[in-house]
Amino acid sequence: MGNDARLSGQPDGQAAECLVDGTHVRLLHHPGQGTPAVVVFGDEASGLHGHPAAVRALAQDPECDLYEVAPKAANWFPVAETGPMAELVRQRLAGKPAVALGASMGGYGALRLGARAGCAATLAFSPQARISPGMTGVGARYARHYRADLHADMEIVADHVPERAYAVIDPEDPHDLLHAELLRHEAGVEVIALPHMGHQTEAAVSGPEVALAAVHAAAMGDRAALARILRRGRRHVPDFLAQLSMACGRHGHHGWAARIADLP
């Protein structure tokens, strides 16, 4: 408790307070007066020494009240340790509206623990439903990270998620499509398609204005507005234009593909 962590995108180099430094996960707070608060669950790539794109974007707003659940490894937020951290966030929020957000492993964490942290809405980008070793084929991208001692209680069910829960995926990514369908059938999560983004759907909210707008739309439960905001944010992702150009080429629209490839 009391340690700080610098975030390069944060105004004036402001430090975040480390509320809990656990074995597998740290809980940080970047304080602000804005509403809703945002609880971001880190992904498997950022780890202890990095910050997800959404954190970097949101931290540019000095008013954003931001909690960061930062994993120390690709550990999928063991519930035995992360659950009490989520309850601490709920206590500190004290009824303040909040949205849980995360990508990939962080999307899983936001869905599994966001409601427990006091969030009334969850926005999960390319999340997994679970990483059970029994999954095979396209659904087993991360099964190698499963540990029985950490993940025995990792399944996401309807009781874990708030009423407003969204999974954003590229439907052309077979792994993410399978997990989104599992989340829809098993936990009632609404799925928003964001084609031509691959597993990097979170990149659509890498700009602060888009990130904040998406958070507010999720908090309001406005699915249509959220989808529009994400599509708008997608336009500024360089890889999106490349993926769109290739998709046009695969479908025989070679003129369109060339014109999109030439866009600045």
Side-chain angles (χ1 to χ4, degrees):
M1 305 264 305
N3 295 329
D4 62 12
R6 298 285 172 179
L7 180 57
S8 59
Q10 206 165 7
D12 303 321
Q14 181 183 355
E17 180 185 2
C18 181
L19 303 177
V20 182
D21 189 358
T23 302
H24 304 288
V25 180
R26 287 200 306 172
L27 176 61
L28 309 174
H29 184 210
H30 311 263
Q33 299 302 313
T35 300
V38 185
V39 183
V40 176
F41 290 76
D43 58 56
E44 67 277 7
S46 299
L48 179 59
H49 302 294
H51 299 275
V55 172
R56 295 194 299 270
L58 292 165
Q60 293 181 47
D61 178 4
E63 293 300 311
C64 185
D65 191 14
L66 175 63
Y67 290 86
E68 184 180 358
V69 187
K72 297 185 177 182
N75 55 44
W76 269 259
F77 302 100
V79 173
E81 178 174 287
T82 317
M85 291 187 190
E87 291 167 6
L88 174 61
V89 173
R90 175 188 285 272
Q91 293 170 12
R92 291 175 64 94
L93 288 171
K96 181 178 184 176
V99 174
L101 186 151
S104 193
M105 180 180 82
Y108 163 81
L111 289 166
R112 179 65 178 81
L113 294 158
R116 192 167 173 180
C119 299
T122 295
L123 182 54
F125 294 89
S126 305
Q128 298 82 46
R130 50 185 172 270
I131 57 169
S132 309
M135 299 194 76
T136 59
V138 296
R141 182 182 288 166
Y142 299 105
R144 67 187 184 279
H145 295 290
Y146 180 86
R147 285 177 49 184
D149 59 325
L150 298 181
H151 303 129
D153 188 29
M154 78 172 305
E155 284 77 9
I156 297 172
V157 299
D159 288 344
H160 295 151
V161 300
E163 181 178 353
R164 299 185 292 280
Y166 305 100
V168 182
I169 64 152
D170 180 346
E172 296 180 6
D173 184 313
H175 173 276
D176 290 347
L177 178 61
L178 172 61
H179 281 268
E181 286 301 301
L182 288 172
L183 289 165
R184 185 168 67 87
H185 286 288
E186 298 176 354
V189 175
E190 291 191 58
V191 178
I192 296 176
L194 199 63
H196 313 302
M197 293 294 288
H199 190 61
Q200 308 303 318
T201 52
E202 186 204 14
V205 294
S206 56
E209 292 184 5
V210 174
L212 287 168
V215 164
H216 281 278
M220 294 295 293
D222 192 337
R223 184 187 186 281
L226 176 58
R228 287 195 300 271
I229 290 163
L230 294 174
R231 289 195 296 270
R232 186 173 73 239
R234 178 182 60 176
R235 298 178 202 162
H236 305 291
V237 180
D239 286 349
F240 162 65
L241 292 177
Q243 292 290 334
L244 181 58
S245 176
M246 289 188 291
C248 289
R250 287 195 301 270
H251 289 86
H253 303 297
H254 302 293
W256 293 354
R259 286 194 291 273
I260 292 169
D262 288 339
L263 289 173

